[in-house]
Amino acid sequence: MARKPIHQQSRMRGQDHYWRIISDLDRDKKPITVSSVHALSNGSRAAVVDYVRRLVKGGYLRPAYMLGPAQVYELERGSLQTPRLDKDGQTVRMGSGREKMWLIMRMKKPFNYRELADAASADGVRVAEGEAKDYVKHLFKAGYLAEVEKFGPHRLARYRLCDDRDTGILPPQIQRTKQIWDPNEGRVVWSAGGVS
Amino acid sequence: MTQAQPSVNGDVAPLRNVTLLDELVKRVMNRPPHLPGMGCFYGHSGYGKTVAATRAVVVNRAVYVEVGESWTRKKLCTALLRQVGVPAKRTVADMIEQIIDCLCRTKLPVLVDEADHLARKGMIEVVREIHDKSGASIVLIGEEMLPELLSRWERVDNRVLDWVPAQPASLEDTRHLARLYAPGVEIGQDLLAKIHEAGGGRVRRICVNLERARERAAIEGLEIMGLAQWGDEPFFSGRPPARRR
């Protein structure tokens, strides 16, 4: 079955959910085991096992001690965002261009799309200017960005993220259905046909 | 600008200050545990400190705040919490605890821009407390006078692992900026050198002049913009024009 668009899915699911549970268990000083994570999640046990294995390989979790038959893990490295890791524990690069662009916008400096692409291209990630342009265009339409310098015959428009649209750490997503989903607010903030 | 532009990013040498700040952040982050974890990056206005900060934030996934002149301790705390996506509690003391908790867990470095305001308003002790209790790496960025301001707070001064002055833009930096701000136009070496000289090391002024060169080239339909094409139009130097007679 095809995956549903994100706005039709339940709020917390998959790796985001497991990661949240792990962080919460760590904060509450409770043992982190596959079972304790699985019990609080709505995913399959196999999915939890798989994600925990990736976190261990990526250096986020460390096997600490045995509690009866169960392996207890300790959080080695925290992260604000859910670590996205491949099966060898390497960070997955997909989507990280958007993440970097959003991070830059949240610094509240005026920028044009070219500067944004240049600044976000770092750390093995390359953001194409077209990609930056498209992201800026959509966020502007959705009211996230204010134009601080107008587009002219020989110059690019410059934008700045509005204070009240600095919604959180996760980058707003442009969905294929031509709408923008803000994962911080958990709602569709703009759609080509108007927000319902 | 409608035509496709060659991409400039990624594989060219970054600006000198970008490298300096990134190295400072990394040095502070990778310090041995018994050493203090604050860094200080300072320099004249217009040297491109904020551009450097942008890159350091992206590469190191740092938490960034730019302190405002009007800020209070509470505002500083809410701004920090907002950056890490934690809903703020009500009192400053609680918020500081939240910040410490978050930095402990995530090990994220923090960049504080315009840190001069912190020193002037005594908010610097808040940063010191966060640093001491979380062990987080904190880099203060500010104007030329920042080290002097910080020296008044001995407890802060002692915790700075490294002081790095921002450098004036080099000719190589000017070349890099030309690729970013004047794409599609070839700026002649002679003009580039003049723009570099007129900028006095200020990235901001260099950008203004490059922008002008690009605009002139676009208007006059030139592909190459050298000193000959530029003529004797004065460069932007940041100073008001001389008195007219």
Side-chain angles (χ1 to χ4, degrees):
Chain A
M1 196 184 87
R3 206 169 65 169
K4 285 184 176 169
I6 192 157
H7 65 285
Q8 290 174 16
Q9 295 167 8
S10 67
R11 183 81 198 270
M12 277 305 250
R13 57 181 287 283
Q15 297 189 347
D16 289 327
H17 197 186
Y18 311 148
W19 179 251
R20 171 71 67 83
I21 294 169
I22 290 170
S23 302
D24 287 351
L25 286 172
D26 174 69
R27 188 196 53 209
D28 302 340
K29 310 262 186 295
K30 288 183 183 155
I32 302 167
T33 67
V34 168
S35 298
S36 66
V37 176
H38 179 232
L40 295 167
S41 77
N42 46 13
S44 72
R45 192 177 168 91
V48 177
V49 169
D50 179 64
Y51 189 53
V52 166
R53 188 165 47 217
R54 289 171 195 228
L55 289 174
V56 171
K57 284 204 170 157
Y60 288 90
L61 285 181
R62 176 167 49 85
Y65 58 91
M66 302 298 286
L67 191 71
Q71 174 70 58
V72 177
Y73 298 92
E74 268 170 16
L75 197 64
E76 180 94 346
R77 178 149 63 108
S79 165
L80 286 179
Q81 275 131 324
T82 311
R84 305 256 173 247
L85 306 166
D86 66 16
K87 61 185 192 308
D88 298 320
Q90 298 293 314
T91 302
V92 174
R93 297 279 184 209
M94 206 180 128
S96 65
R98 289 264 167 87
E99 229 161 69
K100 288 188 163 60
M101 285 194 272
W102 181 243
L103 197 57
I104 294 167
M105 290 184 204
R106 294 190 72 217
M107 291 174 72
K108 309 280 170 59
K109 306 282 180 193
F111 60 86
N112 61 41
Y113 74 79
R114 183 172 297 134
E115 290 165 342
L116 186 64
D118 180 71
S121 294
D123 215 10
V125 176
R126 199 188 176 95
V127 177
E129 291 192 354
E131 205 184 318
K133 193 176 177 179
D134 188 59
Y135 198 41
V136 168
K137 187 180 82 182
H138 278 93
L139 290 184
F140 180 62
K141 276 190 195 160
Y144 280 79
L145 304 177
E147 203 175 45
V148 287
E149 251 176 65
K150 269 204 118 34
F151 169 84
H154 300 292
R155 63 180 64 237
L156 302 173
R158 293 169 75 83
Y159 302 91
R160 184 181 180 279
L161 181 63
C162 303
D163 271 321
D164 59 341
R165 294 314 297 154
D166 179 3
T167 49
I169 59 173
L170 301 171
Q173 301 169 13
I174 302 168
Q175 296 176 265
R176 279 177 205 199
T177 45
K178 289 284 162 219
Q179 51 184 21
I180 297 178
W181 164 260
D182 190 323
N184 303 297
E185 296 187 327
R187 67 184 181 98
V188 173
V189 289
W190 176 86
S191 107
V195 183
S196 52
Chain B
M1 193 72 33
T2 47
Q3 76 271 35
Q5 296 296 340
S7 183
V8 291
N9 46 35
D11 39 28
V12 287
L15 298 177
R16 194 146 57 141
N17 285 332
V18 169
T19 315
L20 282 174
L21 179 59
D22 185 44
E23 280 171 2
L24 172 62
V25 173
K26 293 208 156 67
R27 201 152 54 235
V28 175
M29 284 173 78
N30 299 325
R31 71 191 186 273
H34 60 279
L35 291 180
M38 285 175 75
C40 177
F41 186 66
Y42 60 99
H44 289 293
S45 132
Y47 268 16
K49 295 188 297 288
T50 301
V51 176
T54 309
R55 181 48 66 99
V57 164
V58 170
V59 174
N60 302 295
R61 179 57 186 93
V63 178
Y64 174 89
V65 281
E66 182 187 342
V67 183
E69 159 77 52
S70 59
W71 279 25
T72 58
R73 300 184 331 148
K74 183 164 188 176
K75 176 68 195 171
L76 174 67
C77 291
T78 46
L80 276 167
L81 284 170
R82 193 164 189 182
Q83 282 298 311
V84 293
V86 175
K89 290 190 181 165
R90 284 184 56 184
T91 66
V92 172
D94 284 341
M95 286 193 268
I96 289 177
E97 237 167 51
Q98 286 180 294
I99 295 165
I100 291 167
D101 182 53
C102 175
L103 294 179
C104 268
R105 284 202 283 157
T106 57
K107 312 263 186 295
L108 295 176
V110 181
L111 299 189
V112 184
D113 205 351
E114 307 286 348
D116 316 51
H117 297 312
L118 290 184
R120 289 209 185 88
K121 298 191 135 191
M123 285 188 284
I124 194 79
E125 285 287 348
V126 174
V127 176
R128 186 194 57 81
E129 183 183 354
I130 293 170
H131 164 265
D132 285 6
K133 291 190 181 157
S134 69
S137 309
I138 299 179
V139 174
L140 305 173
I141 302 172
E143 301 278 288
E144 193 65 12
M145 298 295 283
L146 183 59
E148 218 165 291
L149 281 170
L150 291 179
S151 67
R152 277 195 255 148
W153 275 270
E154 202 191 331
R155 292 203 289 180
V156 176
D157 202 49
N158 284 339
R159 284 164 174 84
V160 176
L161 182 70
D162 209 348
W163 308 86
V164 176
Q167 301 296 317
S170 65
L171 186 58
E172 195 43 54
D173 288 346
T174 310
R175 212 164 280 144
H176 174 84
L177 292 168
R179 281 191 286 260
L180 182 61
Y181 288 94
V185 185
E186 197 188 326
I187 308 271
Q189 292 304 314
D190 47 357
L191 181 60
L192 213 53
K194 267 276 191 283
I195 287 179
H196 172 240
E197 199 189 306
R202 306 288 214 268
V203 168
R204 202 171 294 150
R205 286 182 200 163
I206 291 171
C207 288
V208 171
N209 284 320
L210 285 170
E211 179 72 25
R212 282 190 185 177
R214 190 191 58 76
E215 212 173 329
R216 284 252 322 254
I219 292 168
E220 293 167 26
L222 303 170
E223 278 173 17
I224 299 173
M225 190 79 194
L227 204 50
Q229 287 80 14
W230 179 273
D232 51 3
E233 191 189 326
F235 292 100
F236 170 74
S237 63
R239 284 183 209 92
R243 195 166 75 101
R244 281 169 297 179
R245 290 169 195 280

